[in-house]
Amino acid sequence: MEKNFKLNNNITIPSIGFGTWQTPLGQTAIDTIKSAVKAGYRHIDAAAIYKNEKSVGTGIKECGLERKDLFITSKVWNTERGYETTLKAFKKTLHDLQLDYLDLYLIHWPANAQQFTNWKAINSETWSAMEKLHKEGKVRSIGVSNFLPHHLEALLETATIKPAVNQIEYHPGFMQNDCVQFCKSHNILIEGWSPLGRGEVLKNEILIEMGRTYNKSVAQLCIRWALQNQVLPLPKSVTPQRITENFEVFDFEITASDMKIINDMDHPKGGAGLNPDTVTF
Ligand code: A2P
């Protein structure tokens, strides 16, 4: 298993990203980023709406690595959709993260038809701003998050640059097969948020039993399973021992028959299960 994936623009992306959603700002976020880098993570997944970008940025600054050795992602929040507002939001994110470029910038959620009759135009305008940021060299790659196939199809009608990534909820029992297949057929890498089903999947008996046969935790099983499905997992933790544990997944392989068992699992309790067509935020 490689420690990197290749994006459709030939840029290399470390195959496990470190999630920062719900990481408390201040010293916790700073220490958490440092622990993650120490454990081996080189890819940090941030977002303006997580409200902790300043602390994440301080953690990055103090982690001891050179900027070029890290892969940093952020996302434009829903209230900032549109051309000028996206450019402005990007400026604030870059300032908060204390960086002079991003490796990846994503549209956090698509404008949906339930909230906006002109949802296609809104997403297209936001995307134009993303393309501008890329052309100016401020962002090495651009992509989307929580886009379903019909959101992507509409975006591709006007896009001049294809999204490199679509970041969606992905964990055992919630594989979003239609979306994953659509993205694979367009060479758009899937990143999986909440790969542990927000912690709930870890209580699943089948996975606990299976983990024992590999001498691995359920968290490690979930992360490795995503990787073997060519999905880039973004586990989040503020606990140093778990941060380390979640990166120790390159020394075992899930067999094809166990992959099938996990792939065929029903939705276990847990996970957000949000539908981008009906969310109201
Ligand atoms: P914490 O941050 O307190 O360590 P997801 O990435 O699916 O959204 O899941 C994140 C949740 O899972 C957080 O509550 C996190 O808790 C918990 N978590 C992360 N890694 C592990 C692990 N290896 N074992 C148990 N719980 C974990």
Side-chain angles (χ1 to χ4, degrees):
M1 172 61 60
E2 294 284 334
K3 286 205 172 168
N4 298 296
F5 288 120
K6 263 264 154 68
L7 298 175
N8 61 20
N9 55 12
N10 232 18
I11 284 179
T12 299
I13 181 170
S15 62
I16 298 180
F18 185 66
T20 59
W21 182 61
Q22 287 192 331
T23 299
L25 54 79
Q27 203 56 44
T28 304
I30 297 170
D31 292 344
T32 294
I33 296 295
K34 289 187 194 169
S35 300
V37 167
K38 204 165 154 212
Y41 298 78
R42 295 292 177 264
H43 171 177
I44 293 159
D45 185 79
I49 193 65
Y50 303 163
K51 308 277 184 216
N52 55 11
E53 287 199 314
K54 281 190 180 161
S55 316
V56 169
T58 302
I60 291 169
K61 215 155 95 180
E62 295 179 1
C63 78
L65 287 187
E66 287 186 45
R67 170 68 184 93
K68 67 171 175 51
D69 296 325
L70 290 167
F71 188 104
I72 315 287
T73 301
S74 185
K75 316 180 191 85
V76 55
W77 184 242
N78 303 355
T79 47
E80 317 304 318
R81 293 182 183 119
Y83 189 77
E84 293 299 337
T85 33
T86 294
L87 296 179
K88 207 167 145 199
F90 173 77
K91 220 170 160 183
K92 177 166 176 7
T93 273
L94 209 58
H95 177 263
D96 286 352
L97 287 170
Q98 306 157 59
L99 299 174
D100 50 17
Y101 72 93
L102 286 185
D103 294 280
L104 180 63
Y105 199 41
L106 307 178
I107 301 182
H108 209 143
W109 289 84
N112 65 27
Q114 184 163 293
Q115 292 188 64
F116 304 97
T117 49
N118 60 340
W119 63 274
K120 287 186 186 181
I122 295 173
N123 292 332
S124 165
E125 271 178 39
T126 310
W127 190 249
S128 300
M130 310 287 282
E131 291 185 343
K132 178 180 161 68
L133 293 167
H134 174 67
K135 284 174 190 154
E136 288 176 345
K138 292 176 178 153
V139 179
R140 293 178 72 222
S141 300
I142 51 178
V144 296
S145 182
N146 301 300
F147 272 52
L148 296 174
H150 56 278
H151 301 123
L152 276 164
E153 269 168 351
L155 195 77
L156 291 172
E157 282 171 22
T158 55
T160 62
I161 301 171
K162 201 196 255 195
V165 158
N166 185 16
Q167 183 181 126
I168 59 174
E169 182 178 356
Y170 187 87
H171 50 77
F174 199 80
M175 291 182 70
Q176 310 212 53
N177 276 322
D178 290 350
C179 189
V180 170
Q181 287 320 316
F182 179 91
C183 289
K184 284 194 174 163
S185 71
H186 286 269
N187 200 12
I188 297 170
L189 180 73
I190 295 282
E191 295 185 340
W193 59 261
S194 282
L196 316 178
R198 294 189 172 171
E200 283 297 325
V201 173
L202 306 181
K203 299 173 192 155
N204 183 281
E205 289 296 333
I206 296 168
L207 292 174
I208 291 171
E209 197 48 48
M210 192 186 286
R212 280 198 195 110
T213 67
Y214 294 93
N215 204 15
K216 288 286 176 184
S217 69
V218 177
Q220 290 169 322
L221 212 54
C222 290
I223 293 163
R224 178 75 200 191
W225 165 79
L227 289 171
Q228 287 184 219
N229 278 333
Q230 299 299 310
V231 169
L232 188 156
L234 300 164
K236 172 265 170 188
S237 175
V238 295
T239 316
Q241 176 261 324
R242 290 174 173 173
I243 291 172
T244 304
E245 174 187 325
N246 294 348
F247 201 74
E248 289 173 345
V249 295
F250 294 102
D251 58 353
F252 79 114
E253 181 160 3
I254 304 173
T255 62
S257 57
D258 283 344
M259 284 299 290
K260 183 165 168 25
I261 291 172
I262 308 178
N263 286 340
D264 290 347
M265 272 176 72
D266 286 335
H267 196 338
K269 192 173 145 284
L274 293 173
N275 181 344
D277 271 332
T278 55
V279 294
T280 53
F281 49 80

